[in-house]
């Protein structure tokens, strides 16, 4: 590997001091036109690239924000990242995206990496339910914004969706369609989103005069298609099988749909299915999937903007909890004999 070109090499090639090269890079208006042209020519000829990390260490201010999500295999978090990147780029910053894979240990390692890199701040969807990883961020003095999670204290911002309302939307729709025996494919029980969507589902049942026994919960270890297929297999084995299922996200719902298709169970005639997130694949499924839509791109952009505000004007910044409202998108998977709603 060829040795990297440093600022001293540029100064030597241009016949100027290191300070002059630094001025050309950082304050070109302070350097005479002829000298500036000579230094720029040396930079281009040698292929010099300034060390951004060294500049950041001197300035104590990074041009990178970290984004740590639960699962980059989930299109919902891809959309969150798109929104965050859009807002960051508008401010001249970049985003370092990392995936905790729903592991508190991997989350802790990535947060340590962010601290080592002295990122501007962190956008975080926590995998750790104990609060230890967030406490470590606070000890490092790194600003952060919670994404898809409501801040419990007044020391940080958060951007989330009202998941209780979302769960209620899903189950109210199924109850209105005549279903009285439902299942909830819930995902890992430690996740706040999973619990809140279940609370909303139970609220909708109570509104209809139905007790909690009308909802049978099928927890899964992960929130992916494979876990949905496994839950679908368990659903098929239940005595007095429910006529409808609400899934904590669309990937689980797509897995359930696959399991039903393989078993010859008709959707929605034999089993209605509602998902959550309204990812792009929901509308493209073999049976287009009814889903509770989250404004994922907006969530990512708002979270990045809050972080930029906090790091740009810390003295004037006030921590806020932004809670967005979900929307039910009705398609064929929950309405037998009826066409999907127009989009």
């Amino acid at each position: 590997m060829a040795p990297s070109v440093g600022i001293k090499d540029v100064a030597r090639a241009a016949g100027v001091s290191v300070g002059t090269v630094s001025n050309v890079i950082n304050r070109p208006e302070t350097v005479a036109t002829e000298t500036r042209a000579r230094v720029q020519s040396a930079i281009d000829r040698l292929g010099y690239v300034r060390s951004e990390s060294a500049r950041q260490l001197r300035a104590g201010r990074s041009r990178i924000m970290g984004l740590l999500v639960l699962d980059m295999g989930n299109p919902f978090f891809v959309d969150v990242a798109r929104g965050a990147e859009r807002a960051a780029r508008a401010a001249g910053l970049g985003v370092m995206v990392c995936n905790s894979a729903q592991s508190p240990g991997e989350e802790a390692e990535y947060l340590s990496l962010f601290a080592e890199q002295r990122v501007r701040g962190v956008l975080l969807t926590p995998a750790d339910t104990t609060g230890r990883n967030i406490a470590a961020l606070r000890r490092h003095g790194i600003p952060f914004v919670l994404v898809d999670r409501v801040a419990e204290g007044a020391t940080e911002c958060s951007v989330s969706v009202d998941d209780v309302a979302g769960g209620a939307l899903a189950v109210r729709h199924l109850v209105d369609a005549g279903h009285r025996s439902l299942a909830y494919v819930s995902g890992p029980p430690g996740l706040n989103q999973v619990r809140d969507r279940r609370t909303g589902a139970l609220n909708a049942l109570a509104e209809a005069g139905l007790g909690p026994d009308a909802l049978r919960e099928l927890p899964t270890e992960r929130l992916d298609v494979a876990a949905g297929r496994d839950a679908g297999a368990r659903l098929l084995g239940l005595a007095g099988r429910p006529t409808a299922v609400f899934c904590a996200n669309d990937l689980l719902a797509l897995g359930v749909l696959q399991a039903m298709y393989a078993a010859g169970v008709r959707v929605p005639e034999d089993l209605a299915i509602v998902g959550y997130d309204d990812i792009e694949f929901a509308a493209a499924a073999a049976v287009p999937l009814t889903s509770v839509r989250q404004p994922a791109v907006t969530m990512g952009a708002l979270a990045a903007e809050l972080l930029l505000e906090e790091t740009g004007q810390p003295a004037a910044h006030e921590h806020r909890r932004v809670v967005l409202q979900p929307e039910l998108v009705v398609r064929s998977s929950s309405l037998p004999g009826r066409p999907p709603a127009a989009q």
Side-chain angles (χ1 to χ4, degrees):
M1 184 189 302
S4 60
V5 175
I7 194 169
K8 291 181 180 179
D9 300 310
V10 174
R12 190 180 304 113
V16 299
S17 68
V18 169
T20 298
V21 177
S22 178
N23 284 338
V24 169
I25 294 170
N26 297 300
R27 296 178 296 279
E29 71 281 358
T30 66
V31 183
T33 303
E34 182 181 343
T35 303
R36 189 166 67 239
R38 190 163 75 251
V39 170
Q40 189 60 54
S41 175
I43 288 173
D44 295 341
R45 186 169 69 255
L46 296 175
Y48 168 74
V49 178
R50 70 176 179 177
S51 172
E52 182 64 16
S53 60
R55 187 194 70 80
Q56 290 172 8
L57 285 172
R58 289 192 299 272
R61 195 168 176 79
S62 172
R63 292 179 58 244
I64 299 293
M65 65 172 63
L67 171 62
L68 184 55
V69 301
L70 292 176
D71 180 12
M72 280 305 293
N74 186 338
F76 166 75
F77 288 111
V78 175
D79 285 344
V80 169
R82 283 174 49 215
E85 182 183 31
R86 184 180 302 168
R89 284 177 61 85
L93 274 66
V95 179
M96 180 191 300
V97 182
C98 297
N99 176 28
S100 71
Q102 302 176 40
S103 165
E106 291 190 35
E107 177 179 88
E109 291 175 6
Y110 278 123
L111 292 178
S112 293
L113 174 64
F114 289 157
E116 291 171 6
Q117 296 298 316
R118 301 193 182 188
V119 296
R120 174 74 63 95
V122 174
L123 309 177
L124 173 65
T125 303
D128 173 41
T129 59
T130 68
R132 284 193 291 267
N133 288 343
I134 288 178
L137 268 181
R138 291 194 183 100
R139 285 197 302 273
H140 287 300
I142 300 174
F144 65 94
V145 175
L146 299 181
V147 183
D148 196 29
R149 181 73 53 82
V150 178
E152 296 180 357
T155 57
E156 63 270 340
C157 290
S158 66
V159 181
S160 63
V161 166
D162 188 341
D163 282 320
V164 174
L169 281 174
V171 170
R172 192 177 296 122
H173 166 69
L174 292 171
V175 170
D176 288 347
H179 297 283
R180 295 297 180 266
S181 176
L182 293 80
Y184 176 41
V185 178
S186 60
L191 293 178
N192 286 357
Q193 298 95 320
V194 166
R195 294 197 300 268
D196 287 348
R197 292 166 197 177
R198 180 179 183 273
T199 297
L202 292 174
N203 289 348
L205 291 175
E207 290 172 6
L210 299 171
D213 57 344
L215 186 72
R216 284 187 272 183
E217 186 168 357
L218 296 171
T220 63
E221 293 184 358
R222 301 187 64 79
L223 291 162
D224 55 24
V225 173
R229 285 196 297 267
D230 174 71
R234 285 184 279 149
L235 181 66
L236 289 169
L238 291 178
R241 191 172 72 211
T243 61
V245 58
F246 167 44
C247 299
N249 78 356
D250 284 341
L251 296 182
L252 290 172
L254 292 171
V256 171
L257 179 61
Q258 289 179 7
M260 296 305 108
Y261 181 82
V265 175
R266 299 173 303 166
V267 176
E269 291 82 1
D270 300 327
L271 181 76
I273 302 176
V274 175
Y276 205 103
D277 290 339
D278 194 35
I279 62 175
E280 183 177 356
F281 301 135
V287 180
L289 185 66
T290 295
S291 184
V292 178
R293 175 179 292 164
Q294 297 200 83
V297 173
T298 300
M299 289 174 66
L302 287 175
E305 288 166 4
L306 286 172
L307 187 61
L308 290 166
E309 178 186 295
E310 180 176 357
T311 56
Q313 297 178 308
H317 177 74
E318 293 183 3
H319 293 303
R320 299 196 297 279
R321 299 177 186 175
V322 179
V323 180
L324 304 174
Q325 292 303 308
E327 173 191 359
L328 182 69
V329 180
V330 179
R331 301 190 180 94
S332 299
S333 70
S334 64
L335 289 179
R338 292 171 59 184
Q343 298 299 298

